[in-house]
Amino acid sequence: MQIIKTILFILVISLYWGCTFDPSGLDPENTNNTNNTNNTNNTNNTNNQDPVCGDEVIEGDEECDSGNLDGLDCGDFDYYQGNLSCDDNCRFVISGCLGICGDGIVDTNFGETCDTTNFNGRTCAMFSEREAYIGNLVCNSQCQTDTSDCMLAGWIEIVSGKSFSCSILYDGSIWCWGQNDKGQLGINGLTFSKVPVRIPGTYYAVQLTAGDSHACMINSQGEVWCWGNNNRGQLGNDSKTDTSTMVQAIGLSNIEDISAGKEFNCALDSMGDIYCWGHNNRGQLDNESGGNEILIPAQTDSQIADISDIQAGKEHVCVLQNTGIIQCWGINDKGQLGDGTMDVRTEPVSVASIYDCSFLSVSENSSCCVRSDGKISCWGANNEDQLGDGSGVDQSTPVYVQNIINAVKVGVFKKHSCAILNNGSIKCWGNNQDGNLGNGTQMSSASPVQALNLKNIQALTRNGDLFSCALKSDNTLWCWGSNSSGQLGANIEDDQNRIGIRVLDSWKMKRCRDTTDNNNNGYVDSQDLTCIPYLNSVYEYFDGSDFNFDLANKTITFAFEPNNFSYQHLVVDATDFAVIPGGGDSSFDLNLGDDEYLDQNIGFIFPFYQKEYIRLFISSNGFITFEEGNAEYTSSDKTFLSGPPRIAFLWDDWLMRKEIQEDNIQVDTFPGKIAFTYVDIPDINGTFTMSSQVILYIDGTVEITFLNNDNIEGVVGITPGRGAMVLDPLLDFN
């Protein structure tokens, strides 16, 4: 009985304290039971054993143990080589690992091209052997150099006046070319120039504008400086004296936008206020108390909110608001204000029916804007079909340009207009007497026509009289049309050029490989931003009468010499072509008519003057060009030298003016070479025929063979172009 009471008492106490009865013994904690796996003092307790560092077993929080590295090595810690080890606390030791991305040391042996801010001496300026680059290199997380921020050091803006142009270079300097009778080139003299010349001094220009014979710029401090014709006070310096050097427009600060009319200017400051000065005969300055001329910039009488752009014409002004609305004032005899009347307005009026303008251009007496849907509306003078609606009648309200639905920008000139399409090409319309539409003809057009040789265009000028200029996305400048005053900037003798031609990069005209730091930037040769790594152009000019060398039955080989970075030439007698026409691994015919060129794949990487090409342009007018096509002929060696990189083998006298009905050019390709063969090509009069062959080899060698041809006239040879400086202006092929 007593035993039963004792058991019941134990059960009650166990339930009260949350304990369970252990039937295996009377001691619930059983501290001496060696078989109890829950016993904290039991040496056989496998659930409560501390890791032992040094037993080569990785346990608990151990990273490693003695020689056991868990299969890891230095590469698992992003190091390139070395010995990973384990310390006495079973922690990894990486001090024996060598080379890692992020240590600031460029480990070229392991493929690094940079490390953090260390680029192993490389800069964007060294990015290309042939062109000058600016910008900053970036080192990515794999220690590889990212050059995407490097860009061609070139032009950033271009504007045109009546017969001249000015452009801002990447460094903020200003370069001008063309007519200079009023000092509009700003070079402290009145000599005109066929190539860009730098305005002396450092001005850090950020925007330019040009009137008929004057120009102005905004610098990085928001000041305005002007030069050129000042007969109406358009320079803003309280004077009417022309100047061929810069003068500051008085009283202007924080200017953000500026536009020049024929003999006046208007500028917009950071507060949204407009200031105008110069000729005011038609109320174009919006200042009734100023009289016919205002010699110092004065604020306009009217206030217009939210202006995004200001544009001046001959004697009128238009502004584009952020809302897409346009307001204009000034002369209106051609309907250039677009308000449905032809009344002079001394106060702003809205252009009718336009509420979605995204880009505005104003010139002499016409204006155009790109609408939000990619269409273009124009108004004003239309005597030269510059409005593009096909009517030829002045329009006082906007009309649509025919057949354009994908425009992004527009440029209005004195007698024609051009548009940049969303694919970077250009279409133009209106007067074309000097080839200013850029389509290779002189035939005017009331509707848009495609301009040739112009791709990847990002900006257009305006105002030009019978010429146009554009800025490409690679920061090169291109002009076309009238060249009566050298306004195309390409250093050519011709009075016009009917398709786009590249403005000469005269800022780069210094020879590389001369072991000289040409621009004092601490670098030599190809790293000099004012240096072009072009060596001798190898060519000879034949005038058709006094030959110092007969090309008949000759082969001229131009071989690149890597040791001195120049081309050597060799002349040998030839009895036949080196490649039989049609005998290549792959052969095909080219049909080229008058003034045509075709884009051709080379089939391998062809090096030419330290640059590599995979495509070329073969022309009907006797040359192969690289970088862009050109079917324009010339007998000028200056044009030959200032054009694109090219090979001339038929020139001037062999123009193929007659349309060839049969296949006249045979192309043969082989591993490592491509041959172009011209057979029996008639001359300009159809009197003589000519046969020649050009072979390009994978090592950069150029081979030109002439059969029994007479009356050769023009240029034969090779050139890197772009104004290459030539040590020997006439090379004797003998």
Side-chain angles (χ1 to χ4, degrees), residues 157-162 164-169 172-191 197-219 223-237 239-250 258 260-265 277:
E157 185 186 27
I158 182 173
V159 298
S160 295
K162 183 178 180 179
F164 77 104
S165 295
C166 291
S167 183
I168 302 176
L169 194 60
S173 61
I174 303 172
W175 299 65
C176 301
W177 61 95
Q179 183 59 268
N180 195 29
D181 58 325
K182 301 295 183 180
Q184 55 265 52
L185 300 190
I187 57 174
N188 194 23
L190 301 181
T191 303
V197 287
R198 179 173 180 164
I199 294 180
T202 303
Y203 295 97
Y204 302 107
V206 296
Q207 186 182 342
L208 289 175
T209 188
D212 257 23
S213 300
H214 79 284
C216 296
M217 70 93 171
I218 304 173
N219 65 15
E223 302 168 338
V224 173
W225 293 71
C226 303
W227 60 97
N229 188 18
N230 198 27
N231 63 322
R232 300 294 184 179
Q234 55 263 50
L235 303 189
N237 66 333
S239 164
K240 293 175 65 176
T241 302
D242 298 347
T243 175
S244 61
T245 59
M246 284 193 180
V247 294
Q248 186 172 1
I250 297 173
I258 190 169
K262 179 181 180 181
E263 298 169 332
F264 73 100
N265 308 288
W277 64 98

Side-chain angles (χ1 to χ4, degrees), residues 35 72 169 532 578 583 672:
N35 293 321
L72 303 181
L169 194 60
I532 52 175

